[in-house]
Amino acid sequence: MRDPEEELRDLAAAGLRRTLRRLDSPQGPAIRLAEGGECLNFSSNDYLGLANDAALKSLYQHHIGESGAGSGASRLVCGTMAAHLELEDKLAALKRSEAALTFTSGFAAATGTIPALCGKDDIVILDKLCHASLIDGARLSGATMRVFPHNDLDRLADHLRWAAEKRGPNSRVLVVTESVFSMDGDLAPLAAICELKDAHDALLLLDEAHAFGVLGPQGRGLASALGLEGRVDLQMGTFSKAAGLSGGYVCASRATVDLLVNRARSFIYSTAPSPALAATIRDGLDLVCGPVGDRLRAALSRHRETFAPGTPSAIVPVILGENETALAASAALLERGFLVPAIRYPTVPRGSARLRVTLSAAHREEDVTALKKALAEVAPGR
Ligand SMILES: *Cc1c(COP(=O)(O)O)cnc(C)c1O
C-alpha cells in the first residue's frame, strides 16, 4: 500500500507540497501571521474589505440573537427559515432573474448544480481554466465533457457544432465559464459566448465568484455590466469573496431553481446555512450593492489603476514559470512584509507558476505602491 509520508516527500521534491499558514489576527489588509509576523495581505479575496467590517459584524451579532445560530436540518426537512427565502428573493431581484437558490458554499453550488441539470445523455463544455468546483461538478454529472482553450471562441463554436450533431432530442448542452478567472484575473468574452450558446440551443452557467461585488452597476457582476443578465441561464457565485461572508448561490428561472431543490445533492443532503448567516447576507447585500459598496469599488478601482493600469479585475497575476521561482519570490516578498501567495500546479497549468496579487478596497494607497516597488525588486522585469 502507498505510504502517505512517501507521497508527501514526492510532493515536496516537486515543489508542490502545501501547508497551512496560521493567522493570529482577523482577516484584513494588514494581518499577523504565526510565522512571518505582521504583514500586508495581498492574498485574500476580500475585495471590498468587508470580512472584518464593523457594520457587517454588528449585523451578524444582531441576527444571531434574532434568528439563532444553527439551522438544525437540511432545507427540505425543517431548515428553511424566513431568512433563507428572503435572501433568495432579494438576490433574484438584484440579479434580474426569476429565482435564486443558496448553498453552503460556491463549491457546493457548482457540484450540486451541474449534476442536477446534466447526466449521461448531456454534454458539458467548459473553459480550460474553469475553477475546480466546476470541473468536479461536470465530472460528477457523468455528462460527456468537452474543454475549450481559455476564451477560445472558435474552439467553443467547434464543440457546440459537434454537440449539435451528437445530442439526442432531449439532451442538454451546458456551456460553463467564469466572468473573472480566478488565477488570471481576465474576463470571459461574454457577449460572444451568449451569441454562440443561443445559436446552438445550449445553456450557459456563468460563475461570477470574483465579479460579484466588484464589477457592474451595484457590483452585480459581469453579466449585469454588459446588460446580459437575461441571456445567462444560470448566474452562479459566492458570498465568500467581495461579500465578506460565506455561501454560494445560483440565480436562474423558477423552474430551474425548483429542479435544483429536487435534484442538487449538495443542497438536499447538507444542513442549511445558519439562519444568522443568511440574514446577515440578506442585509449585507445593502452594503455590497449600495452606496457603501460603490465607495469601496471606487477605492478598489483606484488601487487597480495604481498597481496595474487597465487591469480588468482585482486579481493581478505575475507569471514566473517554475514552481521554485514563484516560491522564492513569494518568500522574498514575505521577508519584506507582503503576503502574496505562489500559485502552482494543479491550480494553474505546469510551467505557469505565479504570484497572485489580489487588491482590496481596504488597502491604503501607500500599501499598493509599496508592493509595486517590492515586486520590482524580487521579480525584476515582470
Ligand atoms: C472561490 C470560488 C468558488 C468556490 O466558492 P466558495 O464559496 O469559496 O466555495 C467557485 N468558483 C470560483 C471561480 C471561485 O473562485
Side-chain angles (χ1 to χ4, degrees):
M1 204 151 37
R2 282 204 311 290
D3 175 7
E5 305 231 356
E6 202 173 304
E7 267 184 84
L8 287 168
R9 276 195 297 275
D10 290 348
L11 283 173
L16 292 174
R17 176 151 182 190
R18 296 152 187 245
T19 54
L20 300 172
R21 192 182 262 133
R22 169 173 156 165
L23 265 70
D24 285 321
S25 67
Q27 191 57 254
I31 52 174
R32 193 168 59 256
L33 296 174
E35 283 173 55
E38 308 281 336
C39 64
L40 290 173
N41 180 12
F42 285 95
S43 68
S44 90
N45 303 312
D46 180 22
Y47 301 122
L48 299 182
L50 290 175
N52 194 36
D53 177 78
L56 197 63
K57 288 193 293 189
S58 76
L59 274 176
Y60 214 158
Q61 278 164 336
H62 169 77
H63 286 307
I64 289 172
E66 290 285 301
S67 331
S71 64
S74 70
R75 290 283 301 274
L76 279 167
V77 175
C78 66
T80 296
M81 302 184 180
H84 297 109
L85 298 176
E86 287 163 6
L87 163 59
E88 287 163 352
D89 286 347
K90 190 165 172 178
L91 186 67
L94 195 67
K95 292 285 214 166
R96 314 292 191 254
S97 68
E98 268 177 33
L101 193 67
T102 53
F103 293 76
T104 48
S105 69
F107 203 102
T111 54
T113 298
I114 300 175
L117 297 179
C118 296
K120 66 176 176 32
D121 296 330
D122 302 312
I123 297 166
V124 180
I125 306 176
L126 306 101
D127 186 286
K128 172 103 172 109
L129 296 189
C130 275
H131 189 261
S133 60
L134 301 168
I135 298 169
D136 287 5
R139 284 190 181 144
L140 209 51
S141 75
T144 302
M145 284 170 70
R146 284 290 179 269
V147 173
F148 58 98
H150 179 49
N151 281 348
D152 186 331
L153 293 167
D154 291 337
R155 295 294 298 284
L156 170 59
D158 288 345
H159 287 322
L160 282 164
R161 277 191 291 272
W162 172 86
E165 298 217 333
K166 162 144 204 291
R167 75 195 295 183
N170 277 325
S171 308
R172 290 199 176 107
V173 178
L174 177 68
V175 176
V176 178
T177 193
E178 298 179 17
S179 37
V180 173
F181 283 83
S182 51
M183 296 300 138
D184 292 73
D186 60 342
L187 310 181
L190 190 60
I193 291 175
C194 285
E195 291 298 317
L196 282 174
K197 68 95 187 172
D198 283 344
H200 294 87
D201 191 26
L203 300 169
L204 174 62
L205 184 157
L206 180 70
D207 184 348
E208 297 254 29
H210 297 277
F212 181 59
V214 176
L215 300 184
Q218 298 180 279
R220 271 154 37 205
L222 182 65
S224 157
L226 302 174
L228 294 169
E229 283 156 317
R231 306 273 300 276
V232 176
D233 305 278
L234 298 123
Q235 301 181 64
M236 190 196 120
T238 177
F239 305 116
S240 67
K241 287 162 183 163
L245 293 160
S246 73
Y249 67 80
V250 172
C251 298
S253 69
R254 181 79 255 165
T256 302
V257 165
D258 290 348
L259 191 61
L260 294 181
V261 169
N262 283 272
R263 291 257 169 85
R265 293 169 67 85
S266 63
F267 175 86
I268 298 170
Y269 298 105
S270 190
T271 298
S274 150
L277 174 59
T280 307
I281 300 169
R282 178 197 65 204
D283 294 355
L285 287 176
D286 295 334
L287 286 176
V288 177
C289 300
V292 171
D294 287 340
R295 187 172 48 71
L296 296 171
R297 277 182 287 281
L300 181 57
S301 293
R302 284 195 299 277
H303 295 339
R304 281 157 51 181
E305 282 312 302
T306 301
F307 188 72
T311 191
S313 72
I315 303 167
V316 187
V318 182
I319 296 176
L320 296 172
E322 296 310 312
N323 293 334
E324 298 305 340
T325 319
L327 288 170
S330 176
L333 284 174
L334 192 55
E335 263 172 37
R336 289 164 167 80
F338 303 93
L339 178 61
V340 180
I343 309 285
R344 294 161 280 168
Y345 177 84
T347 308
V348 295
R350 286 184 204 278
S352 74
R354 66 196 61 186
L355 297 171
R356 175 179 183 264
V357 175
T358 49
L359 301 169
S360 166
H363 287 127
R364 298 167 307 177
E365 191 69 20
E366 60 261 39
D367 300 339
V368 178
T369 41
L371 173 65
K372 206 172 163 174
K373 188 159 161 280
L375 203 54
E377 287 164 18
V378 307
R382 294 283 160 179

